[in-house]
Amino acid sequence: MEKKESAATIFWHRHAVTKEDRQRLHGHKSLMVWLTGLSGSGKSTIANAVLLELFNKGISAYLLDGDNLRHGLNSNLSFSPEDRKENIRRTAETGKLFVDAGIVVLSALISPFREDRLNARTILGEENFIEVYIKCPLEECEKRDPKGLYKMARRGEIKQFTGIDQEYEEPEAAELVLDTSESSMEKAVDTLVAFIMEKII
């Protein structure tokens, strides 16, 4: 009841400067590139390298990394399905602000559930959202285990860890699939940079 009453008293304020104005200022279109995949698949490594490449090309870009967000914006959230849903919602809404500001925003989050990723796409709008699946078999991710998280999950020290005791639902219609078990990180970065540039220039 309270939410319904407050919604009736809150109005959208139209700004004098539009997203299109800001895109012209930056010299390129803006969108959100959502990297999803298992822990250890290479999401953050690829996203960070892509960020640098875009910066060097004069593209205004920003990276929303899942771990970094959990130090601040999402610090009060657990890894339960409900909190993961809220984690994705907050990240998508933040990304939407960046896109409105005319900036290319990258996000690197496990985001294991299709429904949550679809919700992120809905928040951003189909024309502003690119889903990139960083594909890598669980066995390979567990072999890499750069943060030692899989070992901790196997010992029962981490609960609701994706791939171990929580399912990862693979994207069914991602705009781009990068298999890091079959090609190098460098090739994945080059492919994604080229893909993004084609969309924004």
Side-chain angles (χ1 to χ4, degrees):
M1 184 66 176
E2 182 180 337
K3 185 177 180 181
K4 188 174 181 181
E5 288 177 351
S6 63
T9 60
I10 298 173
F11 301 91
W12 186 263
H13 187 78
R14 190 176 298 278
H15 294 169
V17 179
T18 68
K19 179 177 77 172
E20 290 70 28
D21 293 330
R22 289 184 283 267
Q23 288 178 338
R24 281 192 292 272
L25 179 65
H26 291 291
H28 56 77
K29 294 180 181 177
S30 56
L31 46 75
M32 185 165 200
V33 183
W34 192 283
L35 283 72
T36 176
L38 291 169
S39 177
S41 61
K43 297 181 305 300
S44 293
T45 301
I46 292 171
N48 203 36
V50 168
L51 179 70
L52 180 59
E53 288 294 318
L54 293 176
F55 177 81
N56 289 337
K57 290 178 181 294
I59 303 301
S60 299
Y62 194 84
L63 171 58
L64 298 173
D65 183 81
D67 281 358
N68 290 358
L69 290 172
R70 284 184 176 275
H71 282 284
L73 180 67
N74 297 330
S75 61
N76 64 324
L77 300 177
S78 71
F79 291 93
S80 68
E82 296 76 21
D83 277 6
R84 282 189 182 276
K85 182 183 293 292
E86 176 61 11
N87 182 47
I88 299 306
R89 189 195 69 80
R90 290 184 193 177
T91 304
E93 290 288 0
T94 302
K96 185 178 180 179
L97 294 175
F98 275 94
V99 172
D100 189 55
I103 294 171
V104 173
V105 58
L106 307 163
S107 68
L109 293 88
I110 293 174
S111 42
F113 304 124
R114 292 190 192 102
E115 181 183 351
D116 296 341
R117 297 193 301 265
L118 178 60
N119 185 47
R121 184 184 292 272
T122 301
I123 289 170
L124 269 294
E126 191 71 36
E127 72 282 3
N128 299 316
F129 189 88
I130 293 175
E131 184 178 47
V132 180
Y133 177 28
I134 308 301
K135 185 177 182 179
C136 190
L138 174 63
E139 298 73 23
E140 176 62 25
C141 291
E142 198 164 355
K143 190 186 303 181
R144 297 173 183 175
D145 202 11
K147 303 171 186 173
L149 299 177
Y150 284 100
K151 290 184 180 68
M152 294 173 69
R154 290 294 186 189
R155 292 195 299 262
E157 296 170 13
I158 302 177
K159 302 298 182 184
Q160 298 176 315
F161 190 78
T162 306
I164 304 300
D165 54 2
Q166 191 178 73
E167 184 183 4
Y168 177 81
E169 299 174 352
E170 292 191 344
E172 295 178 328
E175 280 78 5
L176 186 64
V177 178
L178 299 172
D179 191 331
T180 59
S181 69
E182 295 185 350
S183 64
S184 67
M185 289 291 180
E186 291 77 10
K187 184 177 179 182
V189 169
D190 290 345
T191 300
L192 183 50
V193 169
F195 189 86
I196 293 171
M197 293 299 292
E198 186 179 336
K199 297 288 184 182
I200 65 173
I201 299 299

